[in-house]
Amino acid sequence: MNKRLSLLATAVAAGLLLAQPAPAEARIPFFSNTQEIPTLAPMLEQTTPAVVHISVAGSREVRQRLPDAFRQFFGQRGQPEYREERPFKGLGSGVIIDADKGYIVTNNHVIQDATDIEVRLKDGRTFKATKLGADPETDIALLRIEAKKLTQIQLADSDKTRVGDFAVAIGNPFGLEQTVTSGIISALGRGGLGIEGFEDFIQTDAAINSGNSGGALVNLHGELIGINTAILGPNGGNIGIGFAIPANMMKNLVDQIIEHGEVRRGSLGIRGQDVTSDLTEAMHLNVSRGAFVNEVIADSAAAEGGLESGDVIISMNGNKISSFQELRAKVGTLGAGREAKFGILRDGKERTLTIKLKELSTTQVAASQMHPMLDGAELSNAEGGGVKIESVANNSAAAQIGLMPDDIIIGINRQRVTNLAELRKMLENREGVAALNIRRGNASLYVLIR
C-alpha cells in the first residue's frame, strides 16, 4: 500500500485577542453531570459555531501535452506542452478568531487562486469573504467577512500541549459540514515532511480527511490548539496520522498579516544541524536533542546576540527545541523585530541569550517556491553569479537529492543561471527532467530533478 502526504481542504479560525487560555472558571466542561455519562456535547455546542464551511471558485493555469498528431510540427525534441486556464471549485474549513472584526483563519491551499470565496456559518448564513493575506510557506491565510453575531474560538497556548492530551478535530470533510472526530496528540514538533517550507506540526490520530483543511483541532475545553492541514495516508484517506499547524505559530503569522499586510520572516543567521549520537560523542555533549550551531553568519541577529559556533540551542522562549528544523520554523514564523530567549549549552554549561530577530533577506527564499524536490533548502543570489544554497534541512527533499550548504547552482540543462529570478523562470518553463549544474568548491557536478 502506497502512502503519500496529501493536503486537506479545511479552514480554521482562532480568537486573536484571546491569545491566553481562558480562566479555569470560564472554561467549558468536557462532560455533563446530568446523567453522569461523559460527553463532549456541552463543549461542542459552544465551539462548533466558530468553525465555518468555505467554498471557493476560480481558475488555474494547467499544462497539457500536445497530441501526437501535432508533434511533427515541433520535430523530435522534447514533449511540447501548451498552457490554458481552467476553472475550478473547492471546499474547505475555517475558524473564526475574532468575532468583532470578522477574521477567519484557513489554509492557504484552500483559497489559493480563488476569485470567489464564500463562507457558510453553522446557523446557515452565507457571506462573501475577502482575503487579507496569506503565507504559502506555512499554509496560513486570513479572511474577513462583514457579519454580526459571530462566535469566535478560544485560543490555547499550544506550546503547553503534551503528547497524550485528548484532541478533537472539527471541520467539513468531503463537504459534510460540522463533522467532529476525536483522538489524542500523537507527537509534537513534526518536520522534514516536505509539506510546507516551515514545518513544526502537531500530529494527531483524530480522523482527518479531505475537506478538513483549515479546520480546528481543539482540546477538551474547546480551545484551539491547531489548524488541521495535512494527512499521511494512501490515496488521501485517513489512517490516523494527521498534522495541524500550532495555534501559537498561526497567531504569530496572522498578527503580522494584520499589522503589515504580509509575513515578515524572522532570521537568526546561523547554519546548523540536528544533534545526533555521532555529534554528541565527537563534541562531548551532554544532550541528545537540540540544534547544533555550525556557523554564525557575520552581522546577523545571532552574531549580535552572542551566539557562537559550537553552541547547542536547546530551548526557545522556554520551550524545548528538538531539531534544527523545529528551530528554523519557530524563528521564521515569530516575525522580524521580535525578541526571543534562547537556552543554549556552551562548554557543558547552560546559558540564556536574548536575541532580537532580523528580517530574512528578500533575496533569500525557500527553494520549495521553485520546485518540490528543492524543498528544505534556502537560496540566495551568489556573489559573482549563480544561486547559492544557504542551508539544507536534514532529511528534506533537497538533502535526499544530494544538495549541500554552499553549493552554487550555475546552470540548468546547460543554460547558465546567474540569479534567483532566472532559476525560477527556467524551472517554471522546464519540460521533463532538469539537470542542475552545481559548483561545489573546485568541483563541478550535476543533480537531476523531475
Side-chain angles (χ1 to χ4, degrees):
M1 183 181 294
N2 294 325
K3 294 181 179 180
R4 66 183 179 88
L5 286 166
S6 59
L7 291 173
L8 315 170
T10 336
V12 198
L16 290 179
L17 302 180
L18 298 171
Q20 301 300 320
E25 62 272 12
R27 292 183 174 184
I28 304 164
F30 70 90
F31 65 88
S32 169
N33 289 323
T34 305
Q35 297 177 339
E36 297 184 354
I37 298 176
T39 175
L40 297 174
M43 177 272 284
L44 291 171
E45 289 169 357
Q46 299 295 320
T47 305
T48 52
V51 182
V52 303
H53 178 275
I54 296 178
S55 57
V56 301
S59 61
R60 291 192 178 114
E61 184 182 80
V62 296
R63 296 180 179 183
Q64 295 289 323
R65 291 185 179 181
L66 287 173
D68 292 339
F70 291 94
R71 293 188 181 179
Q72 59 179 311
F73 298 105
F74 294 89
Q76 300 300 315
R77 298 179 59 187
Q79 295 179 326
E81 297 179 336
Y82 68 95
R83 302 181 182 186
E84 65 175 353
E85 291 285 329
R86 285 191 177 181
F88 74 90
K89 293 183 178 181
L91 301 174
S93 308
V95 181
I96 301 173
I97 57 174
D98 190 317
D100 294 332
K101 297 181 180 178
Y103 289 156
I104 297 174
V105 175
T106 186
N107 286 143
N108 176 68
H109 76 263
V110 172
I111 53 86
Q112 189 173 14
D113 299 324
T115 54
D116 184 24
I117 305 173
E118 185 177 86
V119 171
R120 183 160 62 249
L121 307 181
K122 184 180 180 180
D123 62 15
R125 290 182 293 164
T126 61
F127 301 91
K128 295 293 184 182
T130 302
K131 176 181 172 182
L132 298 183
D135 181 31
E137 286 295 282
T138 56
D139 203 16
I140 284 292
L142 181 64
L143 309 177
R144 185 176 185 178
I145 61 173
E146 296 290 341
K148 296 181 179 180
K149 296 182 180 180
L150 297 177
T151 299
Q152 69 185 41
I153 201 166
Q154 297 280 349
L155 189 60
D157 182 352
S158 57
D159 288 333
K160 294 182 178 179
T161 301
R162 300 178 301 171
V163 173
D165 287 351
F166 288 105
V168 178
I170 309 171
N172 307 289
F174 304 108
L176 299 173
E177 297 182 30
Q178 295 291 319
T179 295
V180 177
T181 57
S182 65
I184 64 170
I185 301 300
S186 306
L188 299 169
R190 285 294 194 209
L193 303 174
I195 304 174
E196 313 297 350
F198 292 86
E199 298 179 343
D200 185 22
F201 291 122
I202 296 172
Q203 181 181 326
T204 181
D205 67 347
I208 297 174
N209 289 283
S210 180
N212 272 114
S213 289
L217 186 68
V218 303
N219 60 25
L220 295 185
H221 296 295
E223 300 163 338
L224 185 76
I225 56 178
I227 303 297
N228 300 322
T229 299
I231 57 174
L232 177 65
N235 304 316
N238 171 65
I239 59 171
I241 303 178
F243 302 100
I245 300 166
N248 288 3
M249 176 186 287
M250 177 276 295
K251 184 180 185 302
N252 287 334
L253 296 164
V254 168
D255 285 349
Q256 294 174 57
I257 292 174
I258 292 173
E259 183 177 356
H260 307 294
E262 62 180 0
V263 171
R264 296 185 176 178
R265 196 81 63 204
S267 174
L268 190 55
I270 62 172
R271 297 189 179 99
Q273 64 183 81
D274 295 347
V275 172
T276 63
S277 57
D278 292 338
L279 185 62
T280 298
E281 182 178 355
M283 299 295 293
H284 304 290
L285 303 175
N286 57 4
V287 292
S288 59
R289 306 292 292 273
F292 184 78
V293 180
N294 290 348
E295 178 186 356
V296 176
I297 299 171
D299 301 321
S300 66
E304 294 176 2
L307 267 178
E308 299 177 1
S309 59
D311 287 346
V312 179
I313 300 175
I314 56 177
S315 69
M316 177 176 168
N317 289 336
N319 301 302
K320 291 183 179 179
I321 295 294
S322 298
S323 66
F324 191 82
Q325 183 138 345
E326 181 182 2
L327 172 69
R328 175 177 174 270
K330 289 185 182 298
V331 168
T333 57
L334 183 59
R338 301 280 187 88
E339 284 191 347
K341 291 184 177 181
F342 294 91
I344 68 167
L345 187 68
R346 179 183 298 171
D347 299 327
K349 298 180 180 179
E350 292 189 16
R351 305 185 182 188
T352 301
L353 298 176
T354 300
I355 300 176
K356 185 176 182 179
L357 302 180
K358 293 190 175 182
E359 186 171 358
L360 188 66
S361 171
T362 55
T363 61
Q364 186 172 329
V365 302
S368 58
Q369 298 179 14
M370 303 281 190
H371 191 280
M373 291 186 71
L374 300 181
D375 183 67
E378 289 189 348
L379 312 177
S380 66
N381 290 323
E383 295 183 8
V387 174
K388 183 179 180 180
I389 309 294
E390 291 287 350
S391 64
V392 179
N394 290 347
N395 301 319
S396 65
Q400 291 173 11
I401 64 174
L403 291 179
M404 299 176 63
D406 296 327
D407 283 351
I408 306 293
I409 302 174
I410 57 176
I412 297 182
N413 294 348
R414 299 188 182 278
Q415 296 183 37
R416 182 166 177 77
V417 170
T418 60
N419 55 44
L420 284 165
E422 289 184 1
L423 176 64
R424 185 190 300 274
K425 185 175 181 180
M426 289 183 184
L427 288 176
E428 286 178 349
N429 296 327
R430 70 179 181 85
E431 296 178 358
V433 176
L436 303 182
N437 188 3
I438 304 292
R439 186 173 72 238
R440 182 175 295 165
N442 295 323
S444 178
L445 61 145
Y446 283 90
V447 173
L448 301 182
I449 60 175
R450 300 178 182 277

